[in-house]
Amino acid sequence: MPNIPPPFTAPYAPDDAEIAARLLPASHLSPPQEARIDRTATRLIEAIRKRDDRLGGVEDMLREFALSTKEGLALMVLAEALLRVPDARTADQFIEDKLGEGDFIHHETRSTAFLVNASAWALGLSARVIQPGETPDGTIGRLVKRLGAPAVRTATRQAMRLMGNHFVLGETIAQALERGRPRSGQSRYSFDMLGEGARTAADATRYFDAYASAIQTIGKAAGSQPLPDRPGISVKLSALHPRFEAISHARVMRELVPQLLDLAQRAKAHDLNFTIDAEEADRLELSLDVIGATLADSSLSGWDGFGLAIQAYQKRASAVIDYVDALARAHDRKLMVRLVKGAYWDTEIKRAQERGLDGYPVFTRKAMTDLNYVGCAAKLLALRPRIFPQFATHNALTVATVLELAGDIGCFEFQRLHGMGEALYEQLAKDHPDIAYRTYAPVGSHRDLLAYLVRRLLENGANSSFVAQAADERVPVPALLQRPADAIVQPQAATHPKIPLPADLFAPERRNSRGVEFGARAALDQLLTEVKAETADLKPIADVTPDQANAAVTAARAGFAAWSRTPAGARAAALEQAAHLLESRGAHFIALLQAEGGKTLDDALSELREAVDFCRYYAARGRKLFGSETAMPGPTGESNALALRGRGVFVAISPWNFPLAIFLGQVTAALMAGNSVVAKPAEQTPRIAREAVALLHEAGIPTSALHLVTGDGRIGAGLTAHADIAGVVFTGSTEVARAINRTLAAKDGPIVPLIAETGGINAMIADATALPEQVADDVVTSAFRSAGQRCSALRLLFVQEDVADRMIEMIAGAARELRIGDPGHVATHVGPVIDMEAKQRLDAHIARMTAEAKLHFAGTAPEGCFVAPHIFELKDAGQLTEEVFGPILHVVRYRAENLERVLTAIERTGYGLTLGIHSRIDDTVEAIIDRVQVGNIYVNRNMIGAVVGVQPFGGNGLSGTGPKAGGPHYLSRFATEQTVTINTAAAGGNAALLAGEA
């Protein structure tokens, strides 16, 4: 039996300085070696700069339209979206929007390349046509004005297709094989089937069939040369499974491994190179588990073509190489390893910040990635011949360094992207005809080219990239020869000074809340173990009597004076201590949120983090607002100061859907402002509130300042009617908010504020320029996460009719892949609704919609308080007359010219909480934002999960009163303002003024 290595594990985000301390000493070569590297790299750079490609390539486009210019950015967005827009109207709007952002009319083409000249001419021609109010000048001007919009559309689409045709080897494998016939001694290709990751089972099946067909076609044309001198294919695991994610580990292993093994066996039958592409960092461990399980099958013995890609910008790259070597040894196989720099850097940085991780899984300095690449290259070369290294790079210095490290052994190859690096590798082939290189060639339709092309442009078009700098003759060659180690110098400089750690994202004001990376097995297992060890106390809590509720108000009134006089710094310190206690007892609160609130693990963790953020944010804001008075301007001889003070007793009434975060958000805001608080949680979730109040008391909030009152709506109504309350903060239904408002208005005595956040018939608009996969992801998340029980959840989706069929089909297919059930299981996506009463209301709405609307999808729910996701298509938005608080999505088609009607329909609901917009047309986005009165608008992303201090949350109209929770204006509403004016000259003169005169 082979000695199978244990599953891959390595620190997810280790310290950069520690890695640099290991890599820096090993990076120094002997002076003769360094001199040879300089000579080789210089020769390659000179070849790049001398090349006069009459057609042109990516380097020529980047030189002409740098991504640091408006033209470059506009061109990128055009390339990403134009070819998928089916209707003329939207295409015209899109072209006008993007070409209007750059100065294409006056762009003077510097390149001699046909590709660049043709594209620049077409774009300039189009831009001239769309200039509003321009008077045509000259023959060309009059011509293009006469040609009009259809010609603009055609010219711009052709410019995009021209680029696409150059960057994609073929739209089919047959075309790619024809174009990829051996020339100039280059015969190695690796074909990459373009496309996004699968969102549906149908997507996964389609991609599997495409891979299988491609393997068959490539194999038939592969000839008789032995590996490694044979073609290959790259496979993306996320294209083969619609839920390729860590929490679905068991399902992925059960369903995907047989599929991958099937494809590998087909590739083995033709003795092809079969490479598993690298994906995002949170999928690395899952990917390696799938690869390890597939490799273990004895049917793959005797084949040297299986391989995978490793990303050098990932800090775990070296550990991955060790694991792959262990697999090769265990199974007595030879494996191929493609070493790349990495293409998702910006996404990895953002995700780590959003998730509140301890560090980044990737390097924040490009020089560290380059240094790690060389270190990984040396490790791979040392593992020959068991490992066949494949070095994917367009960096002349990297090529020269690898050549020096490789010596005369051979048994490796270089790789380049089709359409890039041609001059470099032509020169390399002349100087080193024995060195092989493989072209990584994308294959697919121009529509599928979009994401690939933009990723390549972003990856290679940044001002710091070698490709961009090598093409710029203003950059001296010696600057391009600087070694990564010389850019880093010392371990302490390994991190980017302008990219803070996720924990320090909001520094110095406050710390970011700490999250857990579910894609890191050790972190997830630890969290699950800790949560499982907790026992949630679900014993019934008795409701208070009306007399007890009144007594709580009286006690809070008595405690107000002392608490309001407590210095703001001390109040803030108590909230910060509460945040610390919440994080240190996170597993306990997560277990309670799951047991009482029905939260999935992901939702429970997110809510815990939001509660922590509320405590820290209001503490930081409170120090500024209440810490000292504000001096006001005025005449000499007097002082004027404005200060904020607490109002008195605040009643805080919170909902069951966020029983920890909203509860603590309300209570901590009122406390920070100097009020005493009577908190009444939802009747469904009193235990979470009880634990939260106990924690606040432990953190330093006096028991006299904070009182918990449990009970149903009648207790809440009694509290709001009490004569001694100074304000109410409420989150819940619009109907209850109206009742509270009427109660407060009917009382004699002081007029007290109501801070209300209610719900909404929240809409999303998706036009024809939107990426369908992104729309599907964001719609499914916005409509069905938390079982649709969020105030911000998507209820009504408007889709442009030209793309509606495909988008609806994809959304329904993605919803079908969600797992509904016990929220205590890590793989669950949709948990229960809060109680049987809620389920009955939702079931009744589903029955009504089934009769009145077109059903696109109906999930299957287990027994109990579960409601499966449903998707209904309405004839008119007016059919949805109220907020439906559950996992039910309503879809309406609209014509592009009727966008104004869509906005009117949204306006007529009377709600204004959240709105989603999916469009690549900036003018459309700006027009919608300007037109609608909605509290939170999200563009090209999901529309839930507002982050405290980042996306202050709250609506208007029927959706609430404002100010926004988690925003800079919130605390002031809990306070009164006091101005103190002192006549400083009253004691006989203005001494300060007289002293100044003297």
Side-chain angles (χ1 to χ4, degrees):
M1 290 289 292
N3 185 21
I4 306 299
F8 172 81
T9 184
Y12 188 82
D15 182 63
D16 299 61
E18 292 180 5
I19 298 173
R22 185 180 73 248
L23 291 174
L24 284 170
S27 67
H28 299 293
L29 302 178
S30 68
Q33 287 178 303
E34 298 286 10
R36 286 195 293 272
I37 291 172
D38 280 346
R39 288 195 297 272
T40 301
T42 299
R43 186 167 173 79
L44 295 175
I45 293 168
E46 289 173 347
I48 293 171
R49 293 184 171 179
K50 288 178 182 177
R51 178 184 174 92
D52 185 14
D53 184 353
R54 299 197 60 171
L55 178 60
V58 173
E59 292 97 333
D60 297 287
M61 290 300 299
L62 291 175
R63 188 183 301 126
E64 192 68 29
F65 297 107
L67 293 185
S68 57
T69 66
K70 290 181 178 179
E71 288 84 1
L73 291 172
L75 183 62
M76 181 182 73
V77 180
L78 266 176
E80 193 269 342
L82 181 62
L83 296 182
R84 68 166 171 263
V85 179
D87 67 301
R89 180 189 178 92
T90 306
D92 291 345
Q93 287 179 327
F94 186 42
I95 292 168
E96 179 170 355
D97 183 72
K98 293 302 151 204
L99 295 190
E101 290 180 0
D103 190 9
F104 288 95
I105 295 175
H106 303 104
H107 183 87
E108 294 184 8
T109 309
R110 293 167 292 176
S111 175
T112 58
F114 170 73
L115 171 65
V116 175
N117 274 290
S119 300
W121 183 85
L123 294 169
L125 183 78
S126 302
R128 185 172 295 279
V129 175
I130 66 168
Q131 288 298 301
E134 184 191 59
T135 303
D137 252 343
T139 304
I140 296 296
R142 287 191 293 273
L143 171 65
V144 295
K145 283 293 182 184
R146 189 165 65 249
L147 288 173
V152 173
R153 197 182 315 127
T154 301
T156 312
R157 285 185 188 272
Q158 282 303 110
M160 297 303 107
R161 286 198 177 92
L162 190 61
M163 285 194 293
N165 190 54
H166 192 63
F167 300 148
V168 177
L169 191 61
E171 293 200 68
T172 65
I173 278 290
Q175 291 178 4
L177 288 169
E178 180 62 29
R179 285 186 68 183
R181 286 180 182 274
R183 67 185 195 281
S184 305
Q186 161 61 11
S187 60
R188 294 185 187 178
Y189 276 89
S190 180
F191 299 99
D192 176 25
M193 307 299 291
L194 289 178
E196 295 290 305
R199 267 60 178 183
T200 71
D203 287 343
T205 299
R206 186 173 68 254
Y207 283 126
F208 176 89
D209 291 343
Y211 284 135
S213 175
I215 289 169
Q216 178 73 7
T217 304
I218 296 167
K220 285 183 176 179
S224 57
Q225 289 289 99
L227 279 170
D229 195 16
R230 293 182 66 73
I233 188 168
S234 294
V235 172
K236 190 174 182 179
L237 295 181
S238 61
L240 293 172
H241 199 281
R243 299 302 306 191
F244 188 66
E245 58 189 357
I247 65 169
S248 299
H249 184 279
R251 179 187 172 195
V252 168
M253 297 300 290
R254 183 175 64 252
E255 297 174 358
L256 177 55
V257 170
Q259 295 281 84
L260 184 64
L261 178 61
D262 186 340
L263 292 176
Q265 289 167 339
R266 294 170 190 249
K268 180 192 175 185
H270 295 286
D271 204 25
L272 301 179
N273 176 200
F274 181 79
T275 301
I276 309 301
D277 262 338
E279 306 209 32
E280 297 86 347
D282 60 0
R283 289 170 162 172
L284 175 62
E285 293 181 5
L286 179 59
S287 296
L288 293 176
D289 286 350
V290 170
I291 289 169
T294 304
L295 268 178
D297 195 281
S298 60
S299 66
L300 301 183
S301 296
W303 173 44
D304 299 340
F306 195 100
L308 73 159
I310 297 177
Q311 299 160 318
Y313 73 0
Q314 279 212 44
K315 298 175 183 178
R316 295 175 289 176
S318 180
V320 175
I321 293 172
D322 291 336
Y323 177 74
V324 172
D325 180 50
L327 284 178
R329 290 174 182 271
H331 299 297
D332 192 24
R333 307 267 179 84
K334 291 182 178 179
L335 298 176
M336 293 179 154
V337 175
R338 174 193 295 150
L339 185 64
V340 301
K341 296 286 177 73
Y344 305 99
W345 181 80
D346 51 337
T347 299
E348 299 290 5
I349 296 295
K350 182 179 181 181
R351 283 183 175 178
Q353 291 177 346
E354 289 176 333
R355 296 174 183 180
L357 304 185
D358 292 335
Y360 295 104
V362 296
F363 297 107
T364 54
R365 288 194 65 185
K366 183 181 181 300
M368 276 299 298
T369 295
D370 292 340
L371 182 65
N372 196 44
Y373 190 99
V374 173
C376 289
K379 176 175 277 194
L380 288 170
L381 290 167
L383 296 174
R384 294 175 292 178
R386 186 169 52 256
I387 301 297
F388 182 82
Q390 300 168 306
F391 300 108
T393 180
H394 304 109
N395 186 316
L397 178 61
T398 303
V399 169
T401 303
V402 169
L403 281 174
E404 184 62 36
L405 293 173
D408 300 325
I409 300 176
C411 194
F412 74 97
E413 70 182 23
F414 287 106
Q415 294 191 355
R416 71 173 183 89
L417 288 168
H418 171 70
M420 295 186 63
E422 293 177 354
L424 186 156
Y425 282 101
E426 282 181 8
Q427 187 64 48
L428 181 68
K430 292 177 184 176
D431 296 345
H432 300 273
D434 54 326
I435 299 297
Y437 74 89
R438 186 182 303 269
T439 300
Y440 183 86
V443 179
S445 69
H446 289 128
R447 191 182 72 181
D448 289 331
L449 164 72
L450 313 172
Y452 172 87
L453 176 60
V454 170
R455 178 53 54 186
R456 295 290 80 75
L457 288 172
L458 285 173
E459 183 183 359
N460 296 286
N463 294 339
S464 60
S465 78
F466 178 86
V467 170
Q469 291 185 334
D472 187 352
E473 296 192 5
R474 294 170 297 180
V475 179
V477 171
L480 297 174
L481 299 180
Q482 183 189 39
R483 305 301 193 263
D486 294 335
I488 300 297
V489 181
Q490 55 186 359
Q492 292 75 18
T495 56
H496 198 295
K498 294 184 179 180
I499 301 178
L501 287 173
D504 300 324
L505 186 60
F506 307 116
E509 184 180 75
R510 60 187 172 98
R511 282 182 64 80
N512 190 9
S513 55
R514 188 168 184 263
V516 176
E517 175 51 68
F518 288 3
R521 194 189 335 266
L524 179 60
D525 287 350
Q526 180 180 347
L527 178 62
L528 290 171
T529 300
E530 291 173 354
V531 171
K532 188 176 181 180
E534 293 290 336
T535 53
D537 180 7
L538 297 181
K539 295 175 184 175
I541 295 179
D543 292 352
V544 302
T545 65
D547 287 343
Q548 290 172 321
N550 289 334
V553 175
T554 301
R557 180 67 182 168
F560 167 67
W563 178 246
S564 67
R565 289 181 173 84
T566 301
R571 301 199 299 258
L575 298 193
E576 288 166 342
Q577 176 63 9
H580 169 71
L581 292 174
L582 278 169
E583 285 197 325
S584 63
R585 300 171 191 173
H588 174 72
F589 280 96
I590 287 173
L592 195 53
L593 284 164
Q594 291 193 294
E596 186 175 49
K599 300 274 182 176
T600 63
L601 184 66
D602 196 8
D603 279 343
L605 175 62
S606 296
E607 180 161 356
L608 174 71
R609 292 190 61 207
E610 185 177 1
V612 170
D613 284 336
F614 271 132
C615 291
R616 288 181 178 149
Y617 181 73
Y618 290 144
R621 291 296 303 165
R623 277 196 169 93
K624 292 180 180 179
L625 293 173
F626 296 87
S628 61
E629 58 191 21
T630 301
M632 308 300 291
T636 184
E638 71 178 32
S639 67
N640 295 279
L642 177 68
L644 296 177
R645 301 180 60 162
R647 289 179 175 273
V649 179
F650 244 88
V651 172
I653 302 176
S654 55
W656 50 259
N657 63 330
F658 283 89
L660 181 66
I662 293 180
F663 178 84
L664 279 178
Q666 293 178 345
V667 170
T668 56
L671 288 169
M672 187 63 239
N675 302 287
S676 56
V677 177
V678 176
K680 196 209 86 67
E683 60 189 283
Q684 296 92 337
T685 53
R687 299 163 190 84
I688 295 169
R690 179 183 61 187
E691 298 274 349
V693 167
L695 181 140
L696 287 172
H697 286 154
E698 182 183 345
I701 306 297
T703 55
S704 59
L706 173 59
H707 304 261
L708 178 68
V709 171
T710 57
D712 60 16
R714 289 169 295 183
I715 293 298
L719 289 173
T720 60
H722 199 288
D724 286 340
I725 67 166
V728 176
V729 55
F730 169 79
T731 300
S733 71
T734 303
E735 291 72 24
V736 174
R738 283 176 173 144
I740 294 173
N741 191 41
R742 285 193 290 266
T743 298
L744 295 177
K747 288 196 304 181
D748 291 330
I751 299 171
V752 301
L754 168 62
I755 306 168
E757 190 268 285
T758 57
I761 301 179
N762 306 310
M764 179 185 286
I765 302 169
D767 73 11
T769 65
L771 183 64
E773 290 82 2
Q774 187 178 10
V775 172
D777 290 345
D778 294 339
V779 167
V780 168
T781 298
S782 301
F784 305 132
R785 184 171 174 178
S786 310
Q789 298 174 121
R790 290 177 180 243
C791 303
S792 56
L794 171 62
R795 313 294 180 198
L796 183 58
L797 173 65
F798 293 92
V799 185
Q800 188 175 326
E801 66 174 4
D802 306 272
V803 294
D805 287 343
R806 182 168 181 241
M807 282 193 181
I808 295 171
E809 180 185 10
M810 186 175 291
I811 293 165
R816 188 171 284 110
E817 300 305 316
L818 298 174
R819 290 296 173 260
I820 309 162
D822 182 356
H825 294 164
V826 68
T828 297
H829 300 110
V830 180
V833 295
I834 191 62
D835 55 25
M836 289 305 295
E837 183 182 344
K839 173 178 167 55
Q840 288 164 5
R841 282 197 303 270
L842 293 168
D843 286 345
H845 181 78
I846 289 170
R848 178 196 149 204
M849 286 291 106
T850 301
E852 297 180 6
K854 179 180 179 181
L855 177 66
H856 280 285
F857 173 70
T860 302
E863 292 295 319
C865 288
F866 294 94
V867 176
H870 280 69
I871 301 174
F872 294 101
E873 182 175 336
L874 309 180
K875 295 178 181 177
D876 182 83
Q879 290 176 261
L880 186 61
T881 57
E882 61 182 359
E883 180 184 26
V884 180
F885 212 71
I888 302 170
L889 176 67
H890 310 83
V891 183
V892 176
R893 300 172 190 246
Y894 76 94
R895 295 176 62 87
E897 61 269 26
N898 293 335
L899 178 60
E900 179 61 29
R901 295 183 189 175
V902 171
L903 302 181
T904 299
I906 293 171
E907 193 175 51
R908 283 177 178 167
T909 67
Y911 293 96
L913 189 55
T914 61
L915 173 70
I917 306 171
H918 269 275
S919 175
R920 296 295 191 267
I921 305 176
D922 291 344
D923 282 350
T924 296
V925 172
E926 291 166 8
I928 294 172
I929 293 172
D930 182 64
R931 173 73 165 73
V932 296
Q933 291 285 339
V934 174
N936 286 64
I937 298 177
Y938 300 93
V939 180
N940 294 329
R941 53 152 286 171
N942 69 59
M943 48 191 281
I944 61 171
V947 178
V948 175
V950 178
Q951 295 129 2
F953 186 76
N956 48 55
L958 295 178
S959 295
T961 63
K964 287 174 171 291
H969 308 303
Y970 194 61
L971 289 185
S972 299
R973 186 63 174 142
F974 289 84
T976 61
E977 295 180 302
Q978 183 179 65
T979 302
V980 177
T981 299
I982 300 175
N983 180 4
T984 57
N990 186 346
L993 181 63
L994 293 172
E997 284 288 331

